[in-house]
Amino acid sequence: MSFSICVAQCTDSLAATMDDQARIMQSIGGVSLAGHSVQGGMALPPPHGHDGTDGDGRKQDIGDILHQIMTITDQSLDEAQAKKHGLNCHRMKPALFSVLCEIKEKTGLSIRGAQEEDPPDPQLMRLDNMLLAEGVAGPEKGGGSAAAAAAAAASGGAADNSIEHSDYRAKLTQIRQIYHTELEKYEQACNEFTTHVMNLLREQSRTRPISPKEIERMVGIIHRKFSSIQMQLKQSTCEAVMILRSRFLDARRKRRNFSKQATEILNEYFYSHLSNPYPSEEAKEELAKKCSITVSQVSNWFGNKRIRYKKNIGKFQEEANLYAAKTAVNAAHAAAAAVQNSQANSPTTPNSGFQMKDEEFQLDSAESKNTLLSNMFTGSSGSFNLPNSGDMFLSMQSLNGDSYQGAQVGANVQSQVDTLRHVISQTAGYNDALGGNAMYSPHGLNANGGWQDATTSSSVISPTEGPGSVHSDTSN
DNA sequence: GATGATGATTAGTC
DNA sequence: GACTAATCATCATC
C-alpha cells in the first residue's frame, strides 16, 4: 500500500470522525437558541439585525444563513476573515458559547471515555514480536543474520549456502530499510497531521466549545488511525519476510547432485563396507570433509543408498563390482609399492595373529605401510585380512556380467582374488596368499533383510575361514 | 515431456 | 537420536 493512499485513508477516516461530531453538533444545533440557529456547533448571529421572532422572517434568516454557509468557500479570504471576526465579536457569542458548552458537556459524556485506554492490540504485539525475531524491527546489529543462520542451518549449510545466505541477508536488509523508511514517513505524517488538527481545533475553539481534553481525544483518534496504518505496514513487512524466508528455505529442497568425485568417495566407502555400511560419526565427518558436503548429507546419502541397494541388489551389482575391483587394484598397488619399500628396508618385524580393518589399512605414513606389509610378507606366522577384502568380496559379481548368485559370486571373487594375487606375487613373490574359498554373506545382508552386525563384519575374518585371510607362512 | 536417478524430507520405530 | 521406508521434488537424459 502506498504511503499517500494510507494518508488519504487516514484523512478520510478522520474526516468521517469529524463529520460525526459535526452531525452531533448539528443535531444539537437543531434547537433554536433565543432565536439564533446553531449550525455545526457554530453560533450564528441574526442576520441583518433581525431579532428572528417572526416565523417567516426566521425561515428567511435560516435560508440566508445556509446560503452564507454554502457560499463561504466562494468568498475571498479577506471576506471570510471579516465574517469570522464579525462572528467572534458578536454580542450574543459568549451566551451562545456557554449554552453550547453546557449541551456539549451533557452529550459529550457518552463519547468520552468510550475509547480511552485501549488495551494493547494482541495482533500488533504479535507482529512486533515477529519483526523483532526476524531482525526487521529492533536494533540492527545481527538483525536478520540470526534468522538467516537458522535458515541456513535448516538447509544443511552446504558450501554455496553462504551465497544464498548473503542473498537472504541482503534482501532482509532491503525489507528492513523499506520498513523503517515507511515507518518514519508515517510518524512524520502523523505528527504533521496531529499538529495541523490541533491548530485547527484550537482555532475553532474560539468559535465553538472545544476543550483541551477534546483536542487530546482527537489526537488519540489520529494516533489510533495512524497506528492501524502502521499495523498494515507491519503486516505487509511480515508477509514480505515470510515470503523471503519460505523462498530461502525452499531452496534447500532444490537439490544439486553431488560431484562425481564425492559420489565416488561415498560409493567406495559403501561398497568397501558393504557388510556394515554404517559409517561412524568420525567416518561421516571424514567423508563429509572429503566430499565437501555436510555430515547430514553423508547420513542422507548412506540412508538412501542402503535402502536402494537393499531394494534392488541386482541393479547395484555392476556398481559394486566396479568399486570392488577398483578398491582391489588400489590395494594391490599399495601393497606392491609397500613391498618394494619393505624389500629395500628389509625389516623383519615379528607378527602374530595380525588382523587389520580396512580403516586401519589406510595408513598415511609410508612407514606404517612398510611395517604392515613387511608383516604380511615376511616369515611371521600371523594372518591378515586384505584391505577391504572382507566387504569387498561380499559384493563381488562376475565382471563378465553374470547375474548375482552366491556361488557364482564366489567364483568371480576368486577371479578378482587371482588378479590381486597375481599382482602381489609378481612384486613380492607372494603366492596363494588369498584363500580360494570365499565364504560370504551376500551383500552383508542377513536373512531378515538387515545388515550384519558390525561385529560380524567380514572385515574381521578369522584366518581359517576368511576369504581374504592371508597366511603369512605361505608366503615366500 | 517421459522417465529414471538422486538428494531431501517426514512419519514411524527402536 | 539413528535408522527405515515412503515420498517428494528436482535434475539429467533421452
Side-chain angles (χ1 to χ4, degrees):
Chain A
M1 189 199 306
S2 79
F3 174 70
S4 53
I5 294 169
C6 288
V7 172
Q9 275 187 351
C10 183
T11 316
D12 287 348
S13 311
L14 197 70
T17 314
M18 291 174 87
D19 279 350
D20 288 343
Q21 268 211 328
R23 267 196 296 280
I24 293 163
M25 292 310 289
Q26 202 158 12
S27 66
I28 299 162
V31 182
S32 287
L33 298 164
H36 297 288
S37 293
V38 181
Q39 297 287 343
M42 191 184 286
L44 295 167
H48 316 301
H50 201 285
D51 64 4
T53 49
D54 176 58
D56 288 341
R58 191 163 42 188
K59 273 183 195 168
Q60 181 64 38
D61 287 349
I62 292 166
D64 285 348
I65 292 160
L66 281 172
H67 181 72
Q68 275 184 39
I69 291 167
M70 298 302 281
T71 56
I72 200 155
T73 49
D74 297 335
Q75 294 167 353
S76 69
L77 202 63
D78 290 340
E79 253 181 308
Q81 285 291 342
K83 283 237 160 67
K84 205 168 133 187
H85 184 72
L87 279 171
N88 281 332
C89 299
H90 197 276
R91 62 190 170 85
M92 293 296 285
K93 193 215 159 184
L96 278 170
F97 204 87
S98 64
V99 173
L100 277 170
C101 283
E102 203 177 311
I103 293 167
K104 203 168 177 187
E105 188 67 29
K106 282 175 189 167
T107 55
L109 285 170
S110 59
I111 303 164
R112 223 175 288 143
Q115 295 172 309
E116 275 172 16
E117 294 299 316
D118 277 342
D121 188 346
Q123 200 189 348
L124 191 64
M125 279 172 72
R126 226 174 33 241
L127 287 170
D128 280 336
N129 287 340
M130 197 195 139
L131 289 171
L132 262 171
E134 291 297 332
V136 176
E140 180 137 26
K141 53 161 189 168
S145 59
S155 73
D160 54 355
N161 257 352
S162 55
I163 301 161
E164 290 166 15
H165 209 138
S166 58
D167 200 33
Y168 177 87
R169 250 198 319 233
K171 291 210 162 90
L172 199 70
T173 309
Q174 231 176 318
I175 291 173
R176 187 191 162 90
Q177 275 170 354
I178 293 168
Y179 171 74
H180 283 289
T181 312
E182 289 295 305
L183 206 63
E184 237 173 74
K185 272 193 211 168
Y186 284 135
E187 272 165 14
Q188 199 185 340
C190 181
N191 287 340
E192 277 175 15
F193 195 70
T194 306
T195 313
H196 174 71
V197 169
M198 277 171 76
N199 288 339
L200 204 68
L201 289 174
R202 275 189 200 123
E203 180 67 24
Q204 283 190 2
S205 69
R206 291 173 64 191
T207 48
R208 65 188 183 96
I210 301 170
S211 62
K213 253 191 177 176
E214 240 181 304
I215 294 174
E216 237 175 74
R217 197 173 69 84
M218 193 56 79
V219 169
I221 290 168
I222 294 167
H223 283 175
R224 268 195 292 278
K225 285 285 167 193
F226 270 92
S227 70
S228 78
I229 296 165
Q230 254 186 30
M231 191 153 85
Q232 284 176 3
L233 171 71
K234 283 175 182 175
Q235 251 170 350
S236 303
T237 311
C238 278
E239 274 171 30
V241 172
M242 283 291 104
I243 290 165
L244 178 70
R245 205 176 157 84
S246 70
R247 274 188 197 159
F248 180 72
L249 288 174
D250 278 352
R252 68 185 163 173
R253 288 196 80 93
K254 218 175 186 178
R255 66 173 193 80
R256 262 176 223 147
N257 287 349
F258 296 158
S259 69
K260 226 175 172 181
Q261 198 191 358
T263 313
E264 274 195 10
I265 291 166
L266 294 168
N267 272 318
E268 266 177 38
Y269 189 96
F270 181 81
Y271 288 113
S272 65
H273 295 74
L274 204 55
S275 63
N276 189 44
Y278 297 88
S280 64
E281 207 52 41
E282 290 79 22
K284 279 181 192 172
E285 278 170 22
E286 185 69 26
L287 285 167
K289 215 169 156 185
K290 278 184 185 170
C291 301
S292 304
I293 56 176
T294 63
V295 174
S296 68
Q297 280 176 305
V298 172
S299 298
N300 277 343
W301 190 92
F302 273 90
N304 284 325
K305 191 73 182 179
R306 281 191 296 265
I307 293 287
R308 284 163 189 163
Y309 180 84
K310 209 161 121 179
K311 268 186 179 174
N312 199 349
I313 293 168
K315 198 181 89 180
F316 287 95
Q317 276 312 300
E318 203 178 329
E319 194 176 65
N321 286 336
L322 273 170
Y323 282 101
K326 199 176 164 187
T327 315
V329 169
N330 284 346
H333 282 309
V339 164
Q340 274 175 347
N341 277 340
S342 75
Q343 279 179 339
N345 298 332
S346 66
T348 50
T349 314
N351 179 34
S352 61
F354 179 76
Q355 283 196 332
M356 185 182 65
K357 290 181 185 174
D358 38 21
E359 290 95 340
E360 288 166 344
F361 184 76
Q362 291 169 9
L363 300 168
D364 289 332
S365 72
E367 192 189 349
S368 305
K369 282 178 183 169
N370 288 347
T371 312
L372 178 68
L373 282 148
S374 66
N375 289 342
M376 286 162 58
F377 298 113
T378 51
S380 59
S381 59
S383 67
F384 100 115
N385 288 325
L386 207 74
N388 304 326
S389 60
D391 293 332
M392 176 179 79
F393 297 136
L394 294 175
S395 61
M396 279 209 180
Q397 184 202 15
S398 163
L399 289 172
N400 56 23
D402 287 340
S403 62
Y404 180 81
Q405 294 291 330
Q408 184 131 33
V409 171
N412 296 329
V413 167
Q414 188 59 53
S415 76
Q416 296 267 340
V417 172
D418 287 343
T419 314
L420 183 59
R421 185 193 301 154
H422 179 68
V423 173
I424 295 171
S425 64
Q426 274 193 329
T427 54
Y430 167 79
N431 192 26
D432 206 25
L434 300 164
N437 300 318
M439 296 289 291
Y440 61 90
S441 161
H443 319 289
L445 289 169
N446 61 28
N448 301 325
W451 258 276
Q452 287 178 352
D453 190 81
T455 52
T456 62
S457 162
S458 55
S459 62
V460 183
I461 301 168
S462 87
T464 50
E465 58 191 22
S469 64
V470 174
H471 300 278
S472 58
D473 55 358
T474 59
S475 65
N476 284 331

